[in-house]
Amino acid sequence: MSEPTSSEKYYVPASSHWPILCCVALFTFFAGIGRWLHELPSGPWVWLGGVALLVVVLFGWFGTVISENLSGVYNEQVGRSFRSGMKLLILSEVVFFAGFFGGYFFIRLWGVPMLGGEVHPITSVMLWPDFTADWPLLTNPDNGRFLGATDLGSPWGVPLANTLLLLTSSVTLTYAHRAVGSGHDGILKIGLLLTILLGVTFLGLQAHEYMNDYERNNLTLNAGIYGSVFYLLTGFHGFHVLVGVIMISTMLGRAMKGHFSRPGDHFALEGVAWYWHFVDVVWLLLFLFVYWL
Amino acid sequence: MANGATAAAVPQSVPKRMIAFIVRWTTATNHKDIGTLYLCTALLNLFLGGTLALCIRAELFIPGLQFVEPNFFNTLTTMHGLIMLFGFIMPVAVGFANWLIPMMIGAPDMALPRLNNMSFWLLPTATIMLVSTLFMDGGAPNFGWTMYAPLSTTYGPPSTDYMIFAVHMLGISSIMGSINIITTIATMRAPGMTWMKLPVFVWTWLVTAFLLIGIMPVLAGAVTMMLFDRNFGTAFFDAAGGGDPLLFQHIFWFFGHPEVYVLALPAFGIISQIIPTFSRKPLFGYRTMVMATILIGFLSYIVWAHHMFTSGMPYGAQLYFMLATMLIAVPTGMKVFNWITTMFRGSISFETPMLFAIAFVFMFTFAGCTGVMLAVAPADFQYHDSYFVVAHFHYVLVNGLTFAFLAGAYYWYPKFWGRMYNERLGKIHFWLSTISVNVLFFPQHFLGLAGMPRRIPDYALQFVDFNFISSIGAFVFGFSQLIFVYNMISSRHRGAPASDQVWEGAEGLEWTLSSPPPHHSFQTPPRVD
């Protein structure tokens, strides 16, 4: 009875305790942030508990799937389901960023010009007559409450370097991906390692740029709408890069164990590669519309 | 098959049996188990949200403040809306999807069963967090389920942050569920089950799932910005920092309008299964039904600002959103036409599911007509934020969609449990519900047209009569649902055994299985010709 039903065509897994633990972890995680935001002393500890449980769940859940895959109980249909699931997950991420980009364009092309007196001048006359609409917005309508940034870095410095880093990392990942199942484990490992290094460098440069913006340019979360959308878009992108780096590191760990040396269905690496390319494309749009134009 | 194992080896002591029970349901990966969990949770939330609604109607029974403080009244409307939408009507649709889609397409289970379990259990998790806000200092969120900034940012109570996290978890749950449903339909169809042979219910859910993937991340983004505005000093929705409160309304309704069709499309699917069965005729215009579903899904993305006519918009935009909104009446009208034409010259019999389905067609069409009235931008300035709007969307959600889900519950009950429900109680439930729901919501149209605003605990004296009538309807409607619960529970053991076919005119793969169906529906894929 404990054997999974494996008819000719379908694979149906047995019941599992990982999903419910994942729900408990997420609840603890969010409850922790909530308590933290409300300055309750237990907040950070509850949050840490949630994170720890989440890590355990991710190890356990993915570990189960990996060992099922290695034991060969999966078939072609399971592979198609995983691929479809990953594509749809990336689609939902695309929508997530599209929502933020939509907000960005609304603010830039409609909200700020309206405040500056376009379309209905009365808004500007009644509220903030001295306000002039500019983009990037350095002087806010109420600069007492929201002190605008003094200066913005050039897109041709660190942002350009970051663009090149991510573009290169997509190449190295493709290079590694091609080596899967061909027996050239060396190429695979080097490719993955290079990708991780490029991703980590990106994150380091981004963190450095954030500190620079905060300390020298007063580009903070409180710097009005420009700071808000800038950190929202680049921050969530940076978070996705971090997740991607963790995913690729996991792949490197699995490559070390020789999981990808046999020919066969290696969905995991494929899914991670899709994710990384998606994160790359988001950055190109960020560079184009937030940093450059 | 561990579920089967725990059920077979019945442990002796009561605590052990309780543990076995908890383990069985929390670790379930079977689509029927998870479907049952969804349906039961939805029913519980229906009564939770319904209790809040009855508190509202009790307060509005006569003018003046009787039972609740104005601020608590606002939390009542907010929590009623959030619980009914996210806790009742979305889960009930997902519950039917879980039960039916694998059976209808000839699969053993959903494509990603463990993910399915997580999608479900995030729902009670999030509901607990949402309901816990009622007991926090400063009270629960009080700005309406639309969470407009700055009511939710500058003026929201501290518990708003927990509501935001609850919405995040509900969003993850919906996205995971949708991924699973699309993947199941895409990869698990039995050989020969081509796209244009899929039952309409499966088609409506396919479009619904794409709608959910297209909107839930946007809602997550909106509440994330709200969280940042509240806690980290950003200015997304604050004009003093160059932001715009209208940005919130745009993003929210970009989620909110397709959400209406997320709720409605599965209901359309259920009705499209029921009416042919009891008319003993195949569905009229299957292809146009599929086309209309896709068209509604597409149009629902591009009409959101008709919720914002009074918020301020250029005339050109108002004109566009007015006309685009009215366009939705066309595919919806096609559906209504097809349902009626399916019944035309059919050998109709009026069992409880068919009664609910016919009532759905009548009342949903009526709700659609008030929707077209609301879409007229110049007239909307009169209707906006009045009880007319309340009456309109309750006709959609209660008289329409809830009736469709009740129809579905009666229709598939014998298939799910192998026992017939009590037809006599079903009919009593139907007539009590149909009469009382109209007593409840119909007068609210007049209240709105006469100028009564929504979300107020007290009102002027000229609104007394209709509020009085409406509250009576509310209590009758609320308590008649207990008949449904009694019927569902008592028939589980006392009902007459159901045949595999159950209904004479029923067609589809789910009726070829035994009643109740085997644990994993189709062990080997059936051939569909």
Side-chain angles (χ1 to χ4, degrees), chain A residues 1 7 15-16 38 68 77 81 84 142 145 225 228, chain B residues 1 27 114 158 161 183 187-188 235 238 240-241:
Chain A
M1 282 297 258
S7 67
S15 48
S16 162
H38 295 177
E68 279 172 356
Q77 181 265 323
S81 292
S84 157
D142 186 346
R145 268 182 64 206
I225 192 63
S228 306
Chain B
M1 295 299 285
T27 63
R114 283 178 285 229
D161 295 322
T183 301
T187 65
M188 306 277 281
D238 194 337

mmCIF file with all atom_site columns, all heavy atoms in Angstrom, chain A residues 1 7 15-16 38 68 77 81 84 142 145 225 228, chain B residues 1 27 114 158 161 183 187-188 235 238 240-241:
data_model
loop_
_atom_site.group_PDB
_atom_site.id
_atom_site.type_symbol
_atom_site.label_atom_id
_atom_site.label_alt_id
_atom_site.label_comp_id
_atom_site.label_asym_id
_atom_site.label_entity_id
_atom_site.label_seq_id
_atom_site.pdbx_PDB_ins_code
_atom_site.Cartn_x
_atom_site.Cartn_y
_atom_site.Cartn_z
_atom_site.occupancy
_atom_site.B_iso_or_equiv
_atom_site.pdbx_formal_charge
_atom_site.auth_seq_id
_atom_site.auth_comp_id
_atom_site.auth_asym_id
_atom_site.auth_atom_id
_atom_site.pdbx_PDB_model_num
ATOM 1   N N   . MET A 1 1   ? 0.821  -1.209 0.000   1.00 0.00 ? 1   MET A N   1
ATOM 2   C CA  . MET A 1 1   ? 0.000  0.000  0.000   1.00 0.00 ? 1   MET A CA  1
ATOM 3   C C   . MET A 1 1   ? 0.858  1.264  0.000   1.00 0.00 ? 1   MET A C   1
ATOM 4   O O   . MET A 1 1   ? 0.447  2.281  -0.536  1.00 0.00 ? 1   MET A O   1
ATOM 5   C CB  . MET A 1 1   ? -0.898 0.021  1.254   1.00 0.00 ? 1   MET A CB  1
ATOM 6   C CG  . MET A 1 1   ? -2.090 -0.865 1.160   1.00 0.00 ? 1   MET A CG  1
ATOM 7   S SD  . MET A 1 1   ? -3.198 -0.369 -0.157  1.00 0.00 ? 1   MET A SD  1
ATOM 8   C CE  . MET A 1 1   ? -4.482 0.462  0.770   1.00 0.00 ? 1   MET A CE  1
ATOM 9   N N   . SER A 1 7   ? 0.932  3.330  -12.602 1.00 0.00 ? 7   SER A N   1
ATOM 10  C CA  . SER A 1 7   ? 0.386  2.629  -13.759 1.00 0.00 ? 7   SER A CA  1
ATOM 11  C C   . SER A 1 7   ? 1.286  2.959  -14.938 1.00 0.00 ? 7   SER A C   1
ATOM 12  O O   . SER A 1 7   ? 2.301  3.625  -14.794 1.00 0.00 ? 7   SER A O   1
ATOM 13  C CB  . SER A 1 7   ? -1.042 3.057  -14.017 1.00 0.00 ? 7   SER A CB  1
ATOM 14  O OG  . SER A 1 7   ? -1.046 4.403  -14.426 1.00 0.00 ? 7   SER A OG  1
ATOM 15  N N   . SER A 1 15  ? 0.867  10.596 0.163   1.00 0.00 ? 15  SER A N   1
ATOM 16  C CA  . SER A 1 15  ? 0.631  11.811 0.941   1.00 0.00 ? 15  SER A CA  1
ATOM 17  C C   . SER A 1 15  ? 1.944  12.295 1.551   1.00 0.00 ? 15  SER A C   1
ATOM 18  O O   . SER A 1 15  ? 2.865  11.523 1.774   1.00 0.00 ? 15  SER A O   1
ATOM 19  C CB  . SER A 1 15  ? -0.411 11.551 2.021   1.00 0.00 ? 15  SER A CB  1
ATOM 20  O OG  . SER A 1 15  ? -0.111 10.373 2.706   1.00 0.00 ? 15  SER A OG  1
ATOM 21  N N   . SER A 1 16  ? 1.996  13.605 1.806   1.00 0.00 ? 16  SER A N   1
ATOM 22  C CA  . SER A 1 16  ? 3.266  14.204 2.208   1.00 0.00 ? 16  SER A CA  1
ATOM 23  C C   . SER A 1 16  ? 3.032  15.237 3.289   1.00 0.00 ? 16  SER A C   1
ATOM 24  O O   . SER A 1 16  ? 2.017  15.933 3.279   1.00 0.00 ? 16  SER A O   1
ATOM 25  C CB  . SER A 1 16  ? 3.911  14.862 0.983   1.00 0.00 ? 16  SER A CB  1
ATOM 26  O OG  . SER A 1 16  ? 4.899  15.770 1.393   1.00 0.00 ? 16  SER A OG  1
ATOM 27  N N   . HIS A 1 38  ? 5.492  45.903 14.306  1.00 0.00 ? 38  HIS A N   1
ATOM 28  C CA  . HIS A 1 38  ? 4.797  46.562 15.407  1.00 0.00 ? 38  HIS A CA  1
ATOM 29  C C   . HIS A 1 38  ? 5.656  46.637 16.671  1.00 0.00 ? 38  HIS A C   1
ATOM 30  O O   . HIS A 1 38  ? 5.161  46.858 17.761  1.00 0.00 ? 38  HIS A O   1
ATOM 31  C CB  . HIS A 1 38  ? 3.470  45.841 15.696  1.00 0.00 ? 38  HIS A CB  1
ATOM 32  C CG  . HIS A 1 38  ? 2.518  45.960 14.542  1.00 0.00 ? 38  HIS A CG  1
ATOM 33  N ND1 . HIS A 1 38  ? 1.296  45.362 14.514  1.00 0.00 ? 38  HIS A ND1 1
ATOM 34  C CD2 . HIS A 1 38  ? 2.626  46.615 13.369  1.00 0.00 ? 38  HIS A CD2 1
ATOM 35  C CE1 . HIS A 1 38  ? 0.686  45.650 13.369  1.00 0.00 ? 38  HIS A CE1 1
ATOM 36  N NE2 . HIS A 1 38  ? 1.481  46.401 12.669  1.00 0.00 ? 38  HIS A NE2 1
ATOM 37  N N   . GLU A 1 68  ? 13.059 10.902 -5.606  1.00 0.00 ? 68  GLU A N   1
ATOM 38  C CA  . GLU A 1 68  ? 12.086 10.200 -6.462  1.00 0.00 ? 68  GLU A CA  1
ATOM 39  C C   . GLU A 1 68  ? 12.573 10.163 -7.898  1.00 0.00 ? 68  GLU A C   1
ATOM 40  O O   . GLU A 1 68  ? 12.498 9.133  -8.583  1.00 0.00 ? 68  GLU A O   1
ATOM 41  C CB  . GLU A 1 68  ? 10.724 10.912 -6.416  1.00 0.00 ? 68  GLU A CB  1
ATOM 42  C CG  . GLU A 1 68  ? 9.885  10.573 -5.202  1.00 0.00 ? 68  GLU A CG  1
ATOM 43  C CD  . GLU A 1 68  ? 8.637  11.432 -5.093  1.00 0.00 ? 68  GLU A CD  1
ATOM 44  O OE1 . GLU A 1 68  ? 8.450  12.345 -5.924  1.00 0.00 ? 68  GLU A OE1 1
ATOM 45  O OE2 . GLU A 1 68  ? 7.855  11.213 -4.166  1.00 0.00 ? 68  GLU A OE2 1
ATOM 46  N N   . GLN A 1 77  ? 5.366  12.029 -18.537 1.00 0.00 ? 77  GLN A N   1
ATOM 47  C CA  . GLN A 1 77  ? 4.239  12.904 -18.196 1.00 0.00 ? 77  GLN A CA  1
ATOM 48  C C   . GLN A 1 77  ? 4.587  13.809 -17.007 1.00 0.00 ? 77  GLN A C   1
ATOM 49  O O   . GLN A 1 77  ? 4.225  14.994 -16.985 1.00 0.00 ? 77  GLN A O   1
ATOM 50  C CB  . GLN A 1 77  ? 3.010  12.045 -17.897 1.00 0.00 ? 77  GLN A CB  1
ATOM 51  C CG  . GLN A 1 77  ? 1.758  12.813 -17.546 1.00 0.00 ? 77  GLN A CG  1
ATOM 52  C CD  . GLN A 1 77  ? 1.599  12.961 -16.049 1.00 0.00 ? 77  GLN A CD  1
ATOM 53  O OE1 . GLN A 1 77  ? 1.921  12.046 -15.291 1.00 0.00 ? 77  GLN A OE1 1
ATOM 54  N NE2 . GLN A 1 77  ? 1.143  14.119 -15.637 1.00 0.00 ? 77  GLN A NE2 1
ATOM 55  N N   . SER A 1 81  ? 4.588  17.898 -16.776 1.00 0.00 ? 81  SER A N   1
ATOM 56  C CA  . SER A 1 81  ? 3.858  18.656 -15.747 1.00 0.00 ? 81  SER A CA  1
ATOM 57  C C   . SER A 1 81  ? 4.778  19.646 -15.046 1.00 0.00 ? 81  SER A C   1
ATOM 58  O O   . SER A 1 81  ? 4.407  20.794 -14.812 1.00 0.00 ? 81  SER A O   1
ATOM 59  C CB  . SER A 1 81  ? 3.260  17.700 -14.714 1.00 0.00 ? 81  SER A CB  1
ATOM 60  O OG  . SER A 1 81  ? 2.250  16.937 -15.297 1.00 0.00 ? 81  SER A OG  1
ATOM 61  N N   . SER A 1 84  ? 5.472  22.547 -17.403 1.00 0.00 ? 84  SER A N   1
ATOM 62  C CA  . SER A 1 84  ? 4.307  23.429 -17.499 1.00 0.00 ? 84  SER A CA  1
ATOM 63  C C   . SER A 1 84  ? 4.178  24.266 -16.229 1.00 0.00 ? 84  SER A C   1
ATOM 64  O O   . SER A 1 84  ? 3.943  25.482 -16.290 1.00 0.00 ? 84  SER A O   1
ATOM 65  C CB  . SER A 1 84  ? 3.058  22.580 -17.740 1.00 0.00 ? 84  SER A CB  1
ATOM 66  O OG  . SER A 1 84  ? 1.916  23.268 -17.330 1.00 0.00 ? 84  SER A OG  1
ATOM 67  N N   . ASP A 1 142 ? 5.716  68.127 -1.466  1.00 0.00 ? 142 ASP A N   1
ATOM 68  C CA  . ASP A 1 142 ? 5.922  68.540 -0.080  1.00 0.00 ? 142 ASP A CA  1
ATOM 69  C C   . ASP A 1 142 ? 7.306  68.077 0.335   1.00 0.00 ? 142 ASP A C   1
ATOM 70  O O   . ASP A 1 142 ? 7.472  66.993 0.888   1.00 0.00 ? 142 ASP A O   1
ATOM 71  C CB  . ASP A 1 142 ? 4.839  67.925 0.807   1.00 0.00 ? 142 ASP A CB  1
ATOM 72  C CG  . ASP A 1 142 ? 4.930  68.443 2.244   1.00 0.00 ? 142 ASP A CG  1
ATOM 73  O OD1 . ASP A 1 142 ? 5.980  69.049 2.583   1.00 0.00 ? 142 ASP A OD1 1
ATOM 74  O OD2 . ASP A 1 142 ? 3.972  68.232 3.003   1.00 0.00 ? 142 ASP A OD2 1
ATOM 75  N N   . ARG A 1 145 ? 8.085  66.837 4.048   1.00 0.00 ? 145 ARG A N   1
ATOM 76  C CA  . ARG A 1 145 ? 7.779  65.478 4.491   1.00 0.00 ? 145 ARG A CA  1
ATOM 77  C C   . ARG A 1 145 ? 8.600  64.441 3.745   1.00 0.00 ? 145 ARG A C   1
ATOM 78  O O   . ARG A 1 145 ? 9.014  63.442 4.306   1.00 0.00 ? 145 ARG A O   1
ATOM 79  C CB  . ARG A 1 145 ? 6.279  65.188 4.297   1.00 0.00 ? 145 ARG A CB  1
ATOM 80  C CG  . ARG A 1 145 ? 5.443  65.505 5.523   1.00 0.00 ? 145 ARG A CG  1
ATOM 81  C CD  . ARG A 1 145 ? 3.997  65.151 5.265   1.00 0.00 ? 145 ARG A CD  1
ATOM 82  N NE  . ARG A 1 145 ? 3.813  63.715 5.060   1.00 0.00 ? 145 ARG A NE  1
ATOM 83  C CZ  . ARG A 1 145 ? 2.821  63.211 4.353   1.00 0.00 ? 145 ARG A CZ  1
ATOM 84  N NH1 . ARG A 1 145 ? 1.961  63.997 3.743   1.00 0.00 ? 145 ARG A NH1 1
ATOM 85  N NH2 . ARG A 1 145 ? 2.695  61.911 4.236   1.00 0.00 ? 145 ARG A NH2 1
ATOM 86  N N   . ILE A 1 225 ? 8.509  59.739 -4.528  1.00 0.00 ? 225 ILE A N   1
ATOM 87  C CA  . ILE A 1 225 ? 8.083  58.661 -5.415  1.00 0.00 ? 225 ILE A CA  1
ATOM 88  C C   . ILE A 1 225 ? 9.258  58.064 -6.192  1.00 0.00 ? 225 ILE A C   1
ATOM 89  O O   . ILE A 1 225 ? 9.261  56.865 -6.478  1.00 0.00 ? 225 ILE A O   1
ATOM 90  C CB  . ILE A 1 225 ? 6.968  59.153 -6.365  1.00 0.00 ? 225 ILE A CB  1
ATOM 91  C CG1 . ILE A 1 225 ? 6.307  57.985 -7.079  1.00 0.00 ? 225 ILE A CG1 1
ATOM 92  C CG2 . ILE A 1 225 ? 7.495  60.156 -7.370  1.00 0.00 ? 225 ILE A CG2 1
ATOM 93  C CD1 . ILE A 1 225 ? 5.610  57.027 -6.164  1.00 0.00 ? 225 ILE A CD1 1
ATOM 94  N N   . SER A 1 228 ? 10.862 55.594 -4.066  1.00 0.00 ? 228 SER A N   1
ATOM 95  C CA  . SER A 1 228 ? 9.934  54.482 -3.847  1.00 0.00 ? 228 SER A CA  1
ATOM 96  C C   . SER A 1 228 ? 9.963  53.496 -5.007  1.00 0.00 ? 228 SER A C   1
ATOM 97  O O   . SER A 1 228 ? 10.180 52.300 -4.819  1.00 0.00 ? 228 SER A O   1
ATOM 98  C CB  . SER A 1 228 ? 8.508  55.000 -3.663  1.00 0.00 ? 228 SER A CB  1
ATOM 99  O OG  . SER A 1 228 ? 8.460  55.954 -2.643  1.00 0.00 ? 228 SER A OG  1
ATOM 100 N N   . MET B 2 1   ? -0.779 6.245  -1.744  1.00 0.00 ? 1   MET B N   1
ATOM 101 C CA  . MET B 2 1   ? -1.835 5.400  -1.195  1.00 0.00 ? 1   MET B CA  1
ATOM 102 C C   . MET B 2 1   ? -1.749 5.306  0.315   1.00 0.00 ? 1   MET B C   1
ATOM 103 O O   . MET B 2 1   ? -2.348 4.429  0.915   1.00 0.00 ? 1   MET B O   1
ATOM 104 C CB  . MET B 2 1   ? -1.777 4.002  -1.803  1.00 0.00 ? 1   MET B CB  1
ATOM 105 C CG  . MET B 2 1   ? -2.067 3.963  -3.289  1.00 0.00 ? 1   MET B CG  1
ATOM 106 S SD  . MET B 2 1   ? -3.699 4.558  -3.750  1.00 0.00 ? 1   MET B SD  1
ATOM 107 C CE  . MET B 2 1   ? -4.747 3.177  -3.256  1.00 0.00 ? 1   MET B CE  1
ATOM 108 N N   . THR B 2 27  ? -2.040 15.806 5.389   1.00 0.00 ? 27  THR B N   1
ATOM 109 C CA  . THR B 2 27  ? -1.025 15.381 4.429   1.00 0.00 ? 27  THR B CA  1
ATOM 110 C C   . THR B 2 27  ? -1.640 14.889 3.127   1.00 0.00 ? 27  THR B C   1
ATOM 111 O O   . THR B 2 27  ? -0.937 14.356 2.281   1.00 0.00 ? 27  THR B O   1
ATOM 112 C CB  . THR B 2 27  ? -0.165 14.251 5.021   1.00 0.00 ? 27  THR B CB  1
ATOM 113 O OG1 . THR B 2 27  ? -1.019 13.125 5.260   1.00 0.00 ? 27  THR B OG1 1
ATOM 114 C CG2 . THR B 2 27  ? 0.507  14.676 6.301   1.00 0.00 ? 27  THR B CG2 1
ATOM 115 N N   . ARG B 2 114 ? 1.148  17.421 -4.489  1.00 0.00 ? 114 ARG B N   1
ATOM 116 C CA  . ARG B 2 114 ? 1.668  18.012 -3.251  1.00 0.00 ? 114 ARG B CA  1
ATOM 117 C C   . ARG B 2 114 ? 1.454  19.518 -3.235  1.00 0.00 ? 114 ARG B C   1
ATOM 118 O O   . ARG B 2 114 ? 1.134  20.112 -2.204  1.00 0.00 ? 114 ARG B O   1
ATOM 119 C CB  . ARG B 2 114 ? 3.145  17.673 -3.087  1.00 0.00 ? 114 ARG B CB  1
ATOM 120 C CG  . ARG B 2 114 ? 3.346  16.245 -2.610  1.00 0.00 ? 114 ARG B CG  1
ATOM 121 C CD  . ARG B 2 114 ? 4.807  15.895 -2.500  1.00 0.00 ? 114 ARG B CD  1
ATOM 122 N NE  . ARG B 2 114 ? 5.362  15.682 -3.818  1.00 0.00 ? 114 ARG B NE  1
ATOM 123 C CZ  . ARG B 2 114 ? 6.099  14.618 -4.153  1.00 0.00 ? 114 ARG B CZ  1
ATOM 124 N NH1 . ARG B 2 114 ? 6.357  13.685 -3.282  1.00 0.00 ? 114 ARG B NH1 1
ATOM 125 N NH2 . ARG B 2 114 ? 6.577  14.511 -5.363  1.00 0.00 ? 114 ARG B NH2 1
ATOM 126 N N   . PRO B 2 158 ? -3.549 49.326 13.012  1.00 0.00 ? 158 PRO B N   1
ATOM 127 C CA  . PRO B 2 158 ? -2.314 48.517 12.965  1.00 0.00 ? 158 PRO B CA  1
ATOM 128 C C   . PRO B 2 158 ? -2.525 47.121 12.376  1.00 0.00 ? 158 PRO B C   1
ATOM 129 O O   . PRO B 2 158 ? -1.640 46.584 11.712  1.00 0.00 ? 158 PRO B O   1
ATOM 130 C CB  . PRO B 2 158 ? -1.897 48.414 14.438  1.00 0.00 ? 158 PRO B CB  1
ATOM 131 C CG  . PRO B 2 158 ? -2.585 49.528 15.121  1.00 0.00 ? 158 PRO B CG  1
ATOM 132 C CD  . PRO B 2 158 ? -3.826 49.829 14.356  1.00 0.00 ? 158 PRO B CD  1
ATOM 133 N N   . ASP B 2 161 ? -1.547 45.484 8.645   1.00 0.00 ? 161 ASP B N   1
ATOM 134 C CA  . ASP B 2 161 ? -0.360 44.752 8.187   1.00 0.00 ? 161 ASP B CA  1
ATOM 135 C C   . ASP B 2 161 ? -0.621 43.247 8.125   1.00 0.00 ? 161 ASP B C   1
ATOM 136 O O   . ASP B 2 161 ? -0.178 42.567 7.203   1.00 0.00 ? 161 ASP B O   1
ATOM 137 C CB  . ASP B 2 161 ? 0.823  45.045 9.113   1.00 0.00 ? 161 ASP B CB  1
ATOM 138 C CG  . ASP B 2 161 ? 1.228  46.506 9.051   1.00 0.00 ? 161 ASP B CG  1
ATOM 139 O OD1 . ASP B 2 161 ? 1.180  47.073 7.954   1.00 0.00 ? 161 ASP B OD1 1
ATOM 140 O OD2 . ASP B 2 161 ? 1.578  47.069 10.106  1.00 0.00 ? 161 ASP B OD2 1
ATOM 141 N N   . THR B 2 183 ? -1.882 23.047 -15.557 1.00 0.00 ? 183 THR B N   1
ATOM 142 C CA  . THR B 2 183 ? -0.987 21.936 -15.864 1.00 0.00 ? 183 THR B CA  1
ATOM 143 C C   . THR B 2 183 ? -1.771 20.638 -15.994 1.00 0.00 ? 183 THR B C   1
ATOM 144 O O   . THR B 2 183 ? -1.508 19.833 -16.900 1.00 0.00 ? 183 THR B O   1
ATOM 145 C CB  . THR B 2 183 ? 0.074  21.818 -14.759 1.00 0.00 ? 183 THR B CB  1
ATOM 146 O OG1 . THR B 2 183 ? 0.777  23.048 -14.692 1.00 0.00 ? 183 THR B OG1 1
ATOM 147 C CG2 . THR B 2 183 ? 1.041  20.708 -15.048 1.00 0.00 ? 183 THR B CG2 1
ATOM 148 N N   . THR B 2 187 ? -1.655 18.574 -19.427 1.00 0.00 ? 187 THR B N   1
ATOM 149 C CA  . THR B 2 187 ? -0.822 17.376 -19.563 1.00 0.00 ? 187 THR B CA  1
ATOM 150 C C   . THR B 2 187 ? -1.525 16.074 -19.202 1.00 0.00 ? 187 THR B C   1
ATOM 151 O O   . THR B 2 187 ? -0.976 15.007 -19.462 1.00 0.00 ? 187 THR B O   1
ATOM 152 C CB  . THR B 2 187 ? 0.439  17.478 -18.675 1.00 0.00 ? 187 THR B CB  1
ATOM 153 O OG1 . THR B 2 187 ? 0.034  17.505 -17.307 1.00 0.00 ? 187 THR B OG1 1
ATOM 154 C CG2 . THR B 2 187 ? 1.240  18.710 -18.980 1.00 0.00 ? 187 THR B CG2 1
ATOM 155 N N   . MET B 2 188 ? -2.696 16.122 -18.589 1.00 0.00 ? 188 MET B N   1
ATOM 156 C CA  . MET B 2 188 ? -3.274 14.876 -18.064 1.00 0.00 ? 188 MET B CA  1
ATOM 157 C C   . MET B 2 188 ? -4.535 14.427 -18.795 1.00 0.00 ? 188 MET B C   1
ATOM 158 O O   . MET B 2 188 ? -5.240 13.546 -18.306 1.00 0.00 ? 188 MET B O   1
ATOM 159 C CB  . MET B 2 188 ? -3.605 15.041 -16.572 1.00 0.00 ? 188 MET B CB  1
ATOM 160 C CG  . MET B 2 188 ? -2.461 15.498 -15.717 1.00 0.00 ? 188 MET B CG  1
ATOM 161 S SD  . MET B 2 188 ? -1.388 14.167 -15.200 1.00 0.00 ? 188 MET B SD  1
ATOM 162 C CE  . MET B 2 188 ? -2.334 13.460 -13.871 1.00 0.00 ? 188 MET B CE  1
ATOM 163 N N   . ALA B 2 235 ? 6.224  56.626 -0.884  1.00 0.00 ? 235 ALA B N   1
ATOM 164 C CA  . ALA B 2 235 ? 5.176  57.589 -1.235  1.00 0.00 ? 235 ALA B CA  1
ATOM 165 C C   . ALA B 2 235 ? 4.356  57.139 -2.437  1.00 0.00 ? 235 ALA B C   1
ATOM 166 O O   . ALA B 2 235 ? 3.902  57.964 -3.222  1.00 0.00 ? 235 ALA B O   1
ATOM 167 C CB  . ALA B 2 235 ? 5.826  58.940 -1.525  1.00 0.00 ? 235 ALA B CB  1
ATOM 168 N N   . ASP B 2 238 ? 0.890  58.584 -1.960  1.00 0.00 ? 238 ASP B N   1
ATOM 169 C CA  . ASP B 2 238 ? 0.851  59.856 -1.240  1.00 0.00 ? 238 ASP B CA  1
ATOM 170 C C   . ASP B 2 238 ? 1.298  60.976 -2.171  1.00 0.00 ? 238 ASP B C   1
ATOM 171 O O   . ASP B 2 238 ? 2.464  61.049 -2.567  1.00 0.00 ? 238 ASP B O   1
ATOM 172 C CB  . ASP B 2 238 ? 1.774  59.768 -0.013  1.00 0.00 ? 238 ASP B CB  1
ATOM 173 C CG  . ASP B 2 238 ? 1.510  60.917 0.940   1.00 0.00 ? 238 ASP B CG  1
ATOM 174 O OD1 . ASP B 2 238 ? 0.990  61.952 0.478   1.00 0.00 ? 238 ASP B OD1 1
ATOM 175 O OD2 . ASP B 2 238 ? 1.824  60.778 2.133   1.00 0.00 ? 238 ASP B OD2 1
ATOM 176 N N   . ALA B 2 240 ? 1.874  63.988 -1.642  1.00 0.00 ? 240 ALA B N   1
ATOM 177 C CA  . ALA B 2 240 ? 2.868  64.902 -1.088  1.00 0.00 ? 240 ALA B CA  1
ATOM 178 C C   . ALA B 2 240 ? 4.269  64.502 -1.501  1.00 0.00 ? 240 ALA B C   1
ATOM 179 O O   . ALA B 2 240 ? 5.175  65.336 -1.592  1.00 0.00 ? 240 ALA B O   1
ATOM 180 C CB  . ALA B 2 240 ? 2.762  64.937 0.438   1.00 0.00 ? 240 ALA B CB  1
ATOM 181 N N   . GLY B 2 241 ? 4.468  63.209 -1.758  1.00 0.00 ? 241 GLY B N   1
ATOM 182 C CA  . GLY B 2 241 ? 5.780  62.743 -2.201  1.00 0.00 ? 241 GLY B CA  1
ATOM 183 C C   . GLY B 2 241 ? 5.827  62.475 -3.691  1.00 0.00 ? 241 GLY B C   1
ATOM 184 O O   . GLY B 2 241 ? 6.747  61.820 -4.178  1.00 0.00 ? 241 GLY B O   1
#
